[in-house]
Amino acid sequence: MSDTDISPQYTLPQTMRAIVLPEPNEKICLADVEYAVPECADNELLIKVEYVGLNPVDGLFAKSGFCKWQYPHILGLDAVGVVVKAGKGVFPGVGTRVMWHASIGDQGALSEYTKVANYAVSVVPAELAGDMAATLPCAGMAALISLDKINITEGDTVLIDGGAGAVGQFAIQFAKQRGADVFTTAAKRNHKLVKQLGADVVFAYQDKDLCEKIRRELGPQGFDAVIDTVGGASTIRNIELMRFCGRIACLNPLPHFEQELMYRRAPNIGVVSLGGAWLANSLCAQQRLSFMGNLLIEGALSGDIKTPEITAVDFNAQAVSAALHKQLDGGFTGKQVVKIST
């Protein structure tokens, strides 16, 4: 008797279509290839992929590469699909639609089939559209981890730098739910959007008098906390805008800090790394991805959380390359989602 369940709805092929990065390159030149359908270990699910959500990190690493990758490498970290093969008794079972944030060190999800550990996925109910679910993992989970890092409580003042980006949009909503007074930066064309999401005060991020205007609005005390989605010089500026011993969650590599600034502000710096759950081989952290996914799905279903506007992307190398360039060019406020199959 077989110790594996296979969906009767599918005849599993030997090969599949995939989009790969032949090697890191500035132009993000990708290739359409045929790969063998992956083999799964005991606790892994074979998924027929339906949608893949694109993120800025996909574009950044397509250009620079990642230390754990072997090439050609399949891109794509956020995905939704249906379980078509699973070990006997493994949950979730065959036929279940699931959502997950994939391991950054392994092959990604831009393929017709992929595998993922069963304990890292979240079940997607039929009431939630698959493409909408694909917008949730990376941005939503990063927002939740950021808020935990800065320990937001009712009445705190928090600056969310880059509020119109996908992480910023989720962070604004979750911060308001926790009772914070939310300040954010965004391009002027996006001020209405972030206000609708709950931001109390919005500043134009390109304003040369930004710091002066923030201090005028906030007063001399500084922010209790900051979610820094931008990085670089913005991180240094944001620490200057914090109160003494304030908290900051950083989603990008840290810049060089002058010693005087560190002594004067004594910031509590938290680094946000979804990929760390996999790279540290932490089963607890990987399971937490599933728990956060459940929370995001619940919020999207109830309407408590508004998801970013979706732009559909075709499943071919040229279209995905153009989409990744669009992610990195700046000014993009929604989520690009590749439709693999339905």
Side-chain angles (χ1 to χ4, degrees):
M1 180 178 291
S2 172
D3 60 357
T4 302
D5 286 330
I6 299 177
S7 173
Q9 299 179 38
Y10 303 106
T11 299
L12 295 180
Q14 297 296 310
T15 62
M16 64 181 185
R17 292 172 58 210
I19 296 175
V20 300
L21 177 71
E23 60 181 7
N25 63 93
E26 278 294 317
K27 293 183 178 180
I28 313 184
C29 293
L30 306 176
D32 297 294
V33 300
E34 288 281 328
Y35 263 16
V37 172
E39 294 291 331
C40 298
D42 291 344
N43 66 336
E44 290 179 325
L45 309 169
L46 181 66
I47 310 289
K48 182 175 175 62
V49 183
E50 295 179 329
Y51 297 97
V52 174
L54 300 179
N55 297 292
V57 68
D58 297 311
L60 289 170
F61 285 138
K63 287 189 173 188
S64 67
F66 186 69
C67 58
K68 296 291 184 180
W69 289 358
Q70 293 182 339
Y71 300 95
H73 177 77
I74 301 174
L75 296 173
L77 294 170
D78 289 356
V80 171
V82 175
V83 180
V84 293
K85 185 177 180 182
K88 289 282 187 182
V90 172
F91 178 85
V94 166
T96 307
R97 177 169 284 106
V98 294
M99 175 194 84
W100 72 97
H101 180 75
S103 169
I104 195 170
D106 296 329
Q107 294 286 17
L110 275 170
S111 54
E112 292 179 305
Y113 294 87
T114 192
K115 61 182 181 179
V116 63
N118 73 302
Y119 47 77
V121 304
S122 302
V123 174
V124 180
E127 297 84 357
L128 184 64
D131 56 350
M132 183 179 290
T135 70
L136 298 173
C138 187
M141 293 176 188
L144 287 170
I145 292 173
S146 296
L147 287 164
D148 287 345
K149 290 272 186 179
I150 58 177
N151 193 28
I152 283 295
T153 56
E154 187 170 359
D156 279 348
T157 56
V158 58
L159 171 66
I160 298 172
D161 198 11
V167 176
Q169 290 185 39
F170 285 115
I172 289 169
Q173 296 176 80
F174 283 123
K176 287 305 295 180
Q177 288 178 12
R178 299 186 187 193
D181 294 325
V182 176
F183 299 71
T184 191
T185 61
K188 286 187 177 180
R189 65 180 179 276
N190 294 321
H191 282 202
K192 182 179 178 180
L193 168 65
V194 294
K195 280 278 194 179
Q196 289 173 337
L197 293 173
D200 296 294
V201 183
V202 188
F203 301 97
Y205 76 93
Q206 291 181 320
D207 192 330
K208 59 182 178 62
D209 297 321
L210 175 62
C211 291
E212 179 184 339
K213 289 182 178 178
I214 288 176
R215 290 192 176 102
R216 191 184 308 152
E217 182 74 35
L218 181 67
Q221 69 271 22
F223 293 107
D224 294 309
V226 173
I227 295 178
D228 178 17
T229 71
V230 180
S234 294
T235 306
I236 297 171
R237 180 204 66 201
N238 290 336
I239 290 176
E240 285 281 10
L241 290 169
M242 288 162 48
R243 65 171 175 78
F244 183 68
C245 291
R247 296 102 61 193
I248 183 169
C250 299
L251 281 78
N252 288 292
L254 299 177
H256 170 73
F257 296 119
E258 293 295 336
Q259 190 177 55
E260 188 272 341
L261 174 64
M262 293 293 97
Y263 275 109
R264 180 162 45 83
R265 280 289 181 260
N268 292 285
I269 300 174
V271 174
V272 177
S273 171
L274 285 180
W278 300 100
L279 298 175
N281 198 27
S282 170
L283 177 61
C284 180
Q286 292 161 24
Q287 289 175 320
R288 188 185 176 202
L289 298 180
S290 172
F291 300 151
M292 288 190 293
N294 294 338
L295 182 63
L296 291 164
I297 288 170
E298 181 182 329
L301 272 177
S302 67
D304 290 340
I305 293 296
K306 297 177 182 177
T307 57
E309 183 178 352
I310 296 170
T311 300
V313 178
D314 291 336
F315 180 44
N316 65 70
Q318 184 176 2
V320 172
S321 177
L324 292 178
H325 278 291
K326 188 175 181 180
Q327 289 276 183
L328 299 179
D329 287 344
F332 184 72
T333 58
K335 286 289 289 188
Q336 298 183 101
V337 177
V338 183
K339 182 179 179 180
I340 310 293
S341 64
T342 55

